[in-house]
Amino acid sequence: MLSRPRRLRTSQAMRDLVADVSLEPQNLILPLFVKEGIDQPQPVPTMPGVVQHSEQSILSALDEAIAVGLKAVMIFAVPLERDATGSVACQTDGILNRVIRNARAHAGDSLVLIADLCLDEFTDHGHCGVLDASGAVDNDATVSLYCQMAVELGRAGADLLGTSGMMDGQVGHIRVALDQAGLVSTGVLAYAAKFASGFYGPFRQAVESQFAGDRKGYQQDYRRTRESELEIRQDISEGADIVMVKPALAYLDIVRAAAEISEVPVAAYLVSGEYAMVEAAAAAGVLDRDAAIFEMLYALRRAGAQLICTYWALEFARKIAR
Ligand code: PBG
């Protein structure tokens, strides 16, 4: 027996020596929720450990993120008022724009601020865009609202806009709108391959979405293998600065495909349902929580994700640093 692969597994030092995948705090992006009109953080029942922040407490969360070595947070806002067109999203002093402005003033350049750019948190029907007469999401009308929202968020100080709505042409139109407003340094983190998924349930509770139904008319169908490559190439050609695959665990093949074809950094979003699933199993005593989470994070790195958007970012950045 010439080859004995076990020789390279004999000690922790040996295993560390030959490991070729790493996980560092800068690989992790922390999603944060902020709710208008509360003065204390409120737990999200379906996501143990996750809260809706107040406008004040989110600033402390930024300090914590910086302290553990994270480089980016992704901010989602829960407004008090919703309407058919999600008009608060485009108001200069609307909740998300206001929070980004305050976060920028608070954190300076020590943290990359990513703002969610989508209307679902702002519409009373919960869809990611505005509806046409038949009740379907109107792609082009939605994209023009995204452009207005993009300019507001860019002016407020967002570094990157997380385009999570899956409208056709959104990245290119937003890029042009930003440039015309002089916001040439505001970038786009494109949710390039985002699937209509059963794993978003807890998130919808976190943003108190009024949504009933599905998003299959605009998010991808998981029965198609190669469509993601089209979405990714298209977003890159429209000017995306980073491309993201979402969800993550059930889509490792897509993460790998993205890493192979993309010249820009690839991110993967370990979504709320994936988080809740592990937390529930751990709470039931059926798996070793930390071991399972590390294994998932490394799996994403191995598949080719440079960045991982995860609700465990703060806690696991701390564990890595230790
Ligand atoms: C839509 C959006 C969703 C998530 C992030 N952005 C929900 C959806 O598409 O229905 C889900 C994130 C998660 O589940 O963690 N703006």
Side-chain angles (χ1 to χ4, degrees):
M1 224 188 300
L2 287 178
S3 170
R4 287 184 182 268
R6 286 185 55 186
R7 282 184 204 118
L8 298 188
R9 299 178 198 142
T10 46
S11 67
Q12 185 67 42
M14 181 66 89
R15 293 187 290 273
D16 288 349
L17 178 74
V18 295
D20 57 14
V21 180
S22 65
L23 180 68
E24 301 294 334
Q26 63 265 26
N27 298 128
L28 304 176
I29 299 174
L30 174 67
L32 291 170
F33 300 105
V34 59
K35 181 173 153 83
E36 189 169 23
I38 58 173
D39 51 23
Q40 292 296 324
Q42 288 180 9
V44 177
T46 49
M47 299 175 72
V50 175
V51 300
Q52 292 177 324
H53 279 286
S54 69
E55 289 187 56
Q56 195 56 43
S57 73
I58 197 169
L59 301 178
S60 322
L62 303 181
D63 296 336
E64 285 179 314
I66 295 166
V68 300
L70 293 178
K71 302 300 171 192
V73 296
M74 169 128 76
I75 300 181
F76 297 91
V78 185
L80 276 177
E81 317 245 317
R82 298 179 148 115
D83 60 21
T85 59
S87 54
V88 169
C90 295
Q91 289 167 8
T92 304
D93 204 35
I95 174 77
L96 183 57
N97 295 316
R98 192 163 75 228
V99 167
I100 293 290
R101 197 168 280 114
N102 292 337
R104 173 55 68 217
H106 186 82
D109 280 343
S110 36
L111 207 51
V112 173
L113 298 178
I114 309 169
D116 185 52
L117 200 174
C118 192
L119 288 174
D120 66 310
E121 290 97 1
F122 297 95
T123 54
D124 53 12
H125 45 72
H127 269 295
C128 295
V130 288
L131 307 181
D132 66 17
S134 75
V137 174
D138 184 333
N139 191 87
D140 299 9
T142 299
V143 169
S144 50
L145 290 176
Y146 286 176
C147 290
Q148 288 177 40
M149 190 178 176
V151 170
E152 291 297 340
L153 287 168
R155 288 190 178 136
D159 296 292
L160 294 170
L161 307 177
T163 53
S164 63
M166 286 304 278
M167 295 301 129
D168 290 337
Q170 60 184 7
V171 173
H173 281 85
I174 287 168
R175 183 69 269 152
V176 170
L178 289 170
D179 288 355
Q180 282 174 351
L183 296 161
V184 297
S185 299
T186 308
V188 174
L189 185 164
Y191 288 60
K194 175 172 178 179
F195 289 83
S197 170
F199 288 103
Y200 302 149
F203 173 92
R204 290 181 191 160
Q205 190 181 57
V207 297
E208 300 174 23
S209 172
Q210 309 302 304
F211 189 63
D214 64 61
R215 307 197 197 284
K216 292 182 182 171
Y218 43 106
Q219 298 179 346
Q220 283 177 251
D221 184 334
Y222 53 69
R223 295 172 304 173
R224 289 183 65 187
T225 311
R226 309 250 355 235
E227 189 192 26
S228 296
E229 295 174 33
L230 172 71
E231 289 280 1
I232 290 162
R233 286 205 172 90
Q234 213 159 297
D235 280 2
I236 293 173
S237 74
E238 289 177 24
D241 299 281
I242 298 176
V243 289
M244 186 149 76
V245 175
K246 176 183 175 186
L249 272 194
Y251 298 88
L252 290 175
D253 56 330
I254 309 293
V255 174
R256 167 54 64 90
E260 279 168 8
I261 65 173
S262 174
E263 303 88 35
V264 302
V266 170
Y269 197 146
L270 203 46
V271 299
S272 59
E274 297 174 307
Y275 176 90
M277 198 161 60
V278 172
E279 292 294 352
V286 299
L287 54 72
D288 176 341
R289 176 181 177 275
D290 288 9
I293 296 168
F294 268 121
E295 193 171 330
M296 288 160 65
L297 296 173
Y298 272 96
L300 286 164
R301 293 281 293 138
R302 202 176 58 235
Q306 179 172 345
L307 303 168
I308 304 166
C309 195
T310 169
Y311 303 98
W312 287 304
L314 199 60
E315 183 191 347
F316 277 71
R318 215 173 264 136
K319 289 185 200 291
I320 295 165
R322 263 210 307 264

mmCIF file with all atom_site columns, all heavy atoms in Angstrom, residues 283-299:
data_model
loop_
_atom_site.group_PDB
_atom_site.id
_atom_site.type_symbol
_atom_site.label_atom_id
_atom_site.label_alt_id
_atom_site.label_comp_id
_atom_site.label_asym_id
_atom_site.label_entity_id
_atom_site.label_seq_id
_atom_site.pdbx_PDB_ins_code
_atom_site.Cartn_x
_atom_site.Cartn_y
_atom_site.Cartn_z
_atom_site.occupancy
_atom_site.B_iso_or_equiv
_atom_site.pdbx_formal_charge
_atom_site.auth_seq_id
_atom_site.auth_comp_id
_atom_site.auth_asym_id
_atom_site.auth_atom_id
_atom_site.pdbx_PDB_model_num
ATOM 1   N N   . ALA A 1 283 ? -31.773 22.548 19.440 1.00 0.00 ? 283 ALA A N   1
ATOM 2   C CA  . ALA A 1 283 ? -32.609 22.702 20.634 1.00 0.00 ? 283 ALA A CA  1
ATOM 3   C C   . ALA A 1 283 ? -33.255 21.376 21.021 1.00 0.00 ? 283 ALA A C   1
ATOM 4   O O   . ALA A 1 283 ? -33.490 21.097 22.190 1.00 0.00 ? 283 ALA A O   1
ATOM 5   C CB  . ALA A 1 283 ? -33.676 23.776 20.391 1.00 0.00 ? 283 ALA A CB  1
ATOM 6   N N   . ALA A 1 284 ? -33.521 20.541 20.022 1.00 0.00 ? 284 ALA A N   1
ATOM 7   C CA  . ALA A 1 284 ? -34.120 19.228 20.292 1.00 0.00 ? 284 ALA A CA  1
ATOM 8   C C   . ALA A 1 284 ? -33.065 18.216 20.730 1.00 0.00 ? 284 ALA A C   1
ATOM 9   O O   . ALA A 1 284 ? -33.389 17.059 21.005 1.00 0.00 ? 284 ALA A O   1
ATOM 10  C CB  . ALA A 1 284 ? -34.856 18.727 19.047 1.00 0.00 ? 284 ALA A CB  1
ATOM 11  N N   . GLY A 1 285 ? -31.811 18.660 20.741 1.00 0.00 ? 285 GLY A N   1
ATOM 12  C CA  . GLY A 1 285 ? -30.734 17.786 21.214 1.00 0.00 ? 285 GLY A CA  1
ATOM 13  C C   . GLY A 1 285 ? -30.311 16.724 20.209 1.00 0.00 ? 285 GLY A C   1
ATOM 14  O O   . GLY A 1 285 ? -29.671 15.746 20.571 1.00 0.00 ? 285 GLY A O   1
ATOM 15  N N   . VAL A 1 286 ? -30.643 16.919 18.935 1.00 0.00 ? 286 VAL A N   1
ATOM 16  C CA  . VAL A 1 286 ? -30.317 15.870 17.967 1.00 0.00 ? 286 VAL A CA  1
ATOM 17  C C   . VAL A 1 286 ? -29.045 16.132 17.166 1.00 0.00 ? 286 VAL A C   1
ATOM 18  O O   . VAL A 1 286 ? -28.642 15.279 16.389 1.00 0.00 ? 286 VAL A O   1
ATOM 19  C CB  . VAL A 1 286 ? -31.493 15.571 17.001 1.00 0.00 ? 286 VAL A CB  1
ATOM 20  C CG1 . VAL A 1 286 ? -32.696 15.077 17.791 1.00 0.00 ? 286 VAL A CG1 1
ATOM 21  C CG2 . VAL A 1 286 ? -31.855 16.774 16.165 1.00 0.00 ? 286 VAL A CG2 1
ATOM 22  N N   . LEU A 1 287 ? -28.432 17.305 17.314 1.00 0.00 ? 287 LEU A N   1
ATOM 23  C CA  . LEU A 1 287 ? -27.107 17.445 16.705 1.00 0.00 ? 287 LEU A CA  1
ATOM 24  C C   . LEU A 1 287 ? -26.234 18.413 17.473 1.00 0.00 ? 287 LEU A C   1
ATOM 25  O O   . LEU A 1 287 ? -26.719 19.219 18.267 1.00 0.00 ? 287 LEU A O   1
ATOM 26  C CB  . LEU A 1 287 ? -27.174 17.801 15.208 1.00 0.00 ? 287 LEU A CB  1
ATOM 27  C CG  . LEU A 1 287 ? -27.945 18.978 14.670 1.00 0.00 ? 287 LEU A CG  1
ATOM 28  C CD1 . LEU A 1 287 ? -27.274 20.282 15.020 1.00 0.00 ? 287 LEU A CD1 1
ATOM 29  C CD2 . LEU A 1 287 ? -28.005 18.874 13.151 1.00 0.00 ? 287 LEU A CD2 1
ATOM 30  N N   . ASP A 1 288 ? -24.948 18.311 17.238 1.00 0.00 ? 288 ASP A N   1
ATOM 31  C CA  . ASP A 1 288 ? -23.969 19.197 17.859 1.00 0.00 ? 288 ASP A CA  1
ATOM 32  C C   . ASP A 1 288 ? -23.983 20.496 17.056 1.00 0.00 ? 288 ASP A C   1
ATOM 33  O O   . ASP A 1 288 ? -23.476 20.561 15.937 1.00 0.00 ? 288 ASP A O   1
ATOM 34  C CB  . ASP A 1 288 ? -22.594 18.516 17.811 1.00 0.00 ? 288 ASP A CB  1
ATOM 35  C CG  . ASP A 1 288 ? -21.474 19.422 18.357 1.00 0.00 ? 288 ASP A CG  1
ATOM 36  O OD1 . ASP A 1 288 ? -21.664 20.658 18.439 1.00 0.00 ? 288 ASP A OD1 1
ATOM 37  O OD2 . ASP A 1 288 ? -20.407 18.876 18.685 1.00 0.00 ? 288 ASP A OD2 1
ATOM 38  N N   . ARG A 1 289 ? -24.606 21.501 17.642 1.00 0.00 ? 289 ARG A N   1
ATOM 39  C CA  . ARG A 1 289 ? -24.885 22.736 16.923 1.00 0.00 ? 289 ARG A CA  1
ATOM 40  C C   . ARG A 1 289 ? -23.644 23.372 16.282 1.00 0.00 ? 289 ARG A C   1
ATOM 41  O O   . ARG A 1 289 ? -23.610 23.631 15.076 1.00 0.00 ? 289 ARG A O   1
ATOM 42  C CB  . ARG A 1 289 ? -25.546 23.722 17.896 1.00 0.00 ? 289 ARG A CB  1
ATOM 43  C CG  . ARG A 1 289 ? -25.806 25.098 17.327 1.00 0.00 ? 289 ARG A CG  1
ATOM 44  C CD  . ARG A 1 289 ? -26.431 25.999 18.393 1.00 0.00 ? 289 ARG A CD  1
ATOM 45  N NE  . ARG A 1 289 ? -26.633 27.343 17.897 1.00 0.00 ? 289 ARG A NE  1
ATOM 46  C CZ  . ARG A 1 289 ? -25.709 28.301 17.910 1.00 0.00 ? 289 ARG A CZ  1
ATOM 47  N NH1 . ARG A 1 289 ? -24.501 28.051 18.390 1.00 0.00 ? 289 ARG A NH1 1
ATOM 48  N NH2 . ARG A 1 289 ? -25.991 29.498 17.437 1.00 0.00 ? 289 ARG A NH2 1
ATOM 49  N N   . ASP A 1 290 ? -22.619 23.639 17.081 1.00 0.00 ? 290 ASP A N   1
ATOM 50  C CA  . ASP A 1 290 ? -21.464 24.361 16.547 1.00 0.00 ? 290 ASP A CA  1
ATOM 51  C C   . ASP A 1 290 ? -20.761 23.557 15.453 1.00 0.00 ? 290 ASP A C   1
ATOM 52  O O   . ASP A 1 290 ? -20.346 24.114 14.433 1.00 0.00 ? 290 ASP A O   1
ATOM 53  C CB  . ASP A 1 290 ? -20.478 24.699 17.667 1.00 0.00 ? 290 ASP A CB  1
ATOM 54  C CG  . ASP A 1 290 ? -21.025 25.790 18.576 1.00 0.00 ? 290 ASP A CG  1
ATOM 55  O OD1 . ASP A 1 290 ? -22.214 26.147 18.431 1.00 0.00 ? 290 ASP A OD1 1
ATOM 56  O OD2 . ASP A 1 290 ? -20.266 26.291 19.427 1.00 0.00 ? 290 ASP A OD2 1
ATOM 57  N N   . ALA A 1 291 ? -20.639 22.257 15.678 1.00 0.00 ? 291 ALA A N   1
ATOM 58  C CA  . ALA A 1 291 ? -19.978 21.419 14.669 1.00 0.00 ? 291 ALA A CA  1
ATOM 59  C C   . ALA A 1 291 ? -20.759 21.466 13.357 1.00 0.00 ? 291 ALA A C   1
ATOM 60  O O   . ALA A 1 291 ? -20.171 21.573 12.274 1.00 0.00 ? 291 ALA A O   1
ATOM 61  C CB  . ALA A 1 291 ? -19.866 19.983 15.176 1.00 0.00 ? 291 ALA A CB  1
ATOM 62  N N   . ALA A 1 292 ? -22.075 21.402 13.456 1.00 0.00 ? 292 ALA A N   1
ATOM 63  C CA  . ALA A 1 292 ? -22.906 21.407 12.250 1.00 0.00 ? 292 ALA A CA  1
ATOM 64  C C   . ALA A 1 292 ? -22.781 22.743 11.516 1.00 0.00 ? 292 ALA A C   1
ATOM 65  O O   . ALA A 1 292 ? -22.690 22.789 10.288 1.00 0.00 ? 292 ALA A O   1
ATOM 66  C CB  . ALA A 1 292 ? -24.363 21.132 12.615 1.00 0.00 ? 292 ALA A CB  1
ATOM 67  N N   . ILE A 1 293 ? -22.760 23.826 12.284 1.00 0.00 ? 293 ILE A N   1
ATOM 68  C CA  . ILE A 1 293 ? -22.686 25.145 11.650 1.00 0.00 ? 293 ILE A CA  1
ATOM 69  C C   . ILE A 1 293 ? -21.327 25.354 10.966 1.00 0.00 ? 293 ILE A C   1
ATOM 70  O O   . ILE A 1 293 ? -21.260 25.801 9.817  1.00 0.00 ? 293 ILE A O   1
ATOM 71  C CB  . ILE A 1 293 ? -22.990 26.270 12.673 1.00 0.00 ? 293 ILE A CB  1
ATOM 72  C CG1 . ILE A 1 293 ? -24.435 26.134 13.164 1.00 0.00 ? 293 ILE A CG1 1
ATOM 73  C CG2 . ILE A 1 293 ? -22.755 27.645 12.052 1.00 0.00 ? 293 ILE A CG2 1
ATOM 74  C CD1 . ILE A 1 293 ? -24.778 26.979 14.380 1.00 0.00 ? 293 ILE A CD1 1
ATOM 75  N N   . PHE A 1 294 ? -20.253 24.981 11.674 1.00 0.00 ? 294 PHE A N   1
ATOM 76  C CA  . PHE A 1 294 ? -18.929 25.100 11.037 1.00 0.00 ? 294 PHE A CA  1
ATOM 77  C C   . PHE A 1 294 ? -18.868 24.281 9.748  1.00 0.00 ? 294 PHE A C   1
ATOM 78  O O   . PHE A 1 294 ? -18.346 24.730 8.729  1.00 0.00 ? 294 PHE A O   1
ATOM 79  C CB  . PHE A 1 294 ? -17.813 24.648 11.996 1.00 0.00 ? 294 PHE A CB  1
ATOM 80  C CG  . PHE A 1 294 ? -17.243 25.771 12.812 1.00 0.00 ? 294 PHE A CG  1
ATOM 81  C CD1 . PHE A 1 294 ? -17.280 25.740 14.203 1.00 0.00 ? 294 PHE A CD1 1
ATOM 82  C CD2 . PHE A 1 294 ? -16.661 26.881 12.183 1.00 0.00 ? 294 PHE A CD2 1
ATOM 83  C CE1 . PHE A 1 294 ? -16.751 26.793 14.953 1.00 0.00 ? 294 PHE A CE1 1
ATOM 84  C CE2 . PHE A 1 294 ? -16.126 27.928 12.931 1.00 0.00 ? 294 PHE A CE2 1
ATOM 85  C CZ  . PHE A 1 294 ? -16.177 27.877 14.316 1.00 0.00 ? 294 PHE A CZ  1
ATOM 86  N N   . GLU A 1 295 ? -19.442 23.092 9.793  1.00 0.00 ? 295 GLU A N   1
ATOM 87  C CA  . GLU A 1 295 ? -19.413 22.224 8.611  1.00 0.00 ? 295 GLU A CA  1
ATOM 88  C C   . GLU A 1 295 ? -20.148 22.872 7.434  1.00 0.00 ? 295 GLU A C   1
ATOM 89  O O   . GLU A 1 295 ? -19.691 22.824 6.283  1.00 0.00 ? 295 GLU A O   1
ATOM 90  C CB  . GLU A 1 295 ? -20.052 20.881 8.993  1.00 0.00 ? 295 GLU A CB  1
ATOM 91  C CG  . GLU A 1 295 ? -19.829 19.782 8.004  1.00 0.00 ? 295 GLU A CG  1
ATOM 92  C CD  . GLU A 1 295 ? -20.315 18.442 8.579  1.00 0.00 ? 295 GLU A CD  1
ATOM 93  O OE1 . GLU A 1 295 ? -20.282 18.238 9.819  1.00 0.00 ? 295 GLU A OE1 1
ATOM 94  O OE2 . GLU A 1 295 ? -20.747 17.605 7.773  1.00 0.00 ? 295 GLU A OE2 1
ATOM 95  N N   . MET A 1 296 ? -21.278 23.531 7.739  1.00 0.00 ? 296 MET A N   1
ATOM 96  C CA  . MET A 1 296 ? -22.035 24.210 6.687  1.00 0.00 ? 296 MET A CA  1
ATOM 97  C C   . MET A 1 296 ? -21.260 25.398 6.125  1.00 0.00 ? 296 MET A C   1
ATOM 98  O O   . MET A 1 296 ? -21.223 25.623 4.904  1.00 0.00 ? 296 MET A O   1
ATOM 99  C CB  . MET A 1 296 ? -23.381 24.690 7.258  1.00 0.00 ? 296 MET A CB  1
ATOM 100 C CG  . MET A 1 296 ? -24.359 23.556 7.515  1.00 0.00 ? 296 MET A CG  1
ATOM 101 S SD  . MET A 1 296 ? -25.677 23.984 8.691  1.00 0.00 ? 296 MET A SD  1
ATOM 102 C CE  . MET A 1 296 ? -26.552 25.231 7.806  1.00 0.00 ? 296 MET A CE  1
ATOM 103 N N   . LEU A 1 297 ? -20.636 26.164 7.018  1.00 0.00 ? 297 LEU A N   1
ATOM 104 C CA  . LEU A 1 297 ? -19.899 27.348 6.558  1.00 0.00 ? 297 LEU A CA  1
ATOM 105 C C   . LEU A 1 297 ? -18.716 26.930 5.681  1.00 0.00 ? 297 LEU A C   1
ATOM 106 O O   . LEU A 1 297 ? -18.466 27.514 4.625  1.00 0.00 ? 297 LEU A O   1
ATOM 107 C CB  . LEU A 1 297 ? -19.427 28.182 7.760  1.00 0.00 ? 297 LEU A CB  1
ATOM 108 C CG  . LEU A 1 297 ? -20.547 28.802 8.618  1.00 0.00 ? 297 LEU A CG  1
ATOM 109 C CD1 . LEU A 1 297 ? -19.961 29.452 9.870  1.00 0.00 ? 297 LEU A CD1 1
ATOM 110 C CD2 . LEU A 1 297 ? -21.358 29.831 7.821  1.00 0.00 ? 297 LEU A CD2 1
ATOM 111 N N   . TYR A 1 298 ? -18.007 25.883 6.115  1.00 0.00 ? 298 TYR A N   1
ATOM 112 C CA  . TYR A 1 298 ? -16.882 25.400 5.307  1.00 0.00 ? 298 TYR A CA  1
ATOM 113 C C   . TYR A 1 298 ? -17.360 24.805 3.983  1.00 0.00 ? 298 TYR A C   1
ATOM 114 O O   . TYR A 1 298 ? -16.677 24.927 2.956  1.00 0.00 ? 298 TYR A O   1
ATOM 115 C CB  . TYR A 1 298 ? -16.046 24.384 6.096  1.00 0.00 ? 298 TYR A CB  1
ATOM 116 C CG  . TYR A 1 298 ? -14.962 25.051 6.923  1.00 0.00 ? 298 TYR A CG  1
ATOM 117 C CD1 . TYR A 1 298 ? -15.173 25.348 8.270  1.00 0.00 ? 298 TYR A CD1 1
ATOM 118 C CD2 . TYR A 1 298 ? -13.758 25.409 6.355  1.00 0.00 ? 298 TYR A CD2 1
ATOM 119 C CE1 . TYR A 1 298 ? -14.191 25.977 9.026  1.00 0.00 ? 298 TYR A CE1 1
ATOM 120 C CE2 . TYR A 1 298 ? -12.758 26.041 7.094  1.00 0.00 ? 298 TYR A CE2 1
ATOM 121 C CZ  . TYR A 1 298 ? -12.984 26.331 8.435  1.00 0.00 ? 298 TYR A CZ  1
ATOM 122 O OH  . TYR A 1 298 ? -12.013 26.957 9.170  1.00 0.00 ? 298 TYR A OH  1
ATOM 123 N N   . ALA A 1 299 ? -18.517 24.158 3.999  1.00 0.00 ? 299 ALA A N   1
ATOM 124 C CA  . ALA A 1 299 ? -19.039 23.587 2.747  1.00 0.00 ? 299 ALA A CA  1
ATOM 125 C C   . ALA A 1 299 ? -19.247 24.697 1.716  1.00 0.00 ? 299 ALA A C   1
ATOM 126 O O   . ALA A 1 299 ? -18.939 24.537 0.530  1.00 0.00 ? 299 ALA A O   1
ATOM 127 C CB  . ALA A 1 299 ? -20.352 22.855 3.004  1.00 0.00 ? 299 ALA A CB  1
#
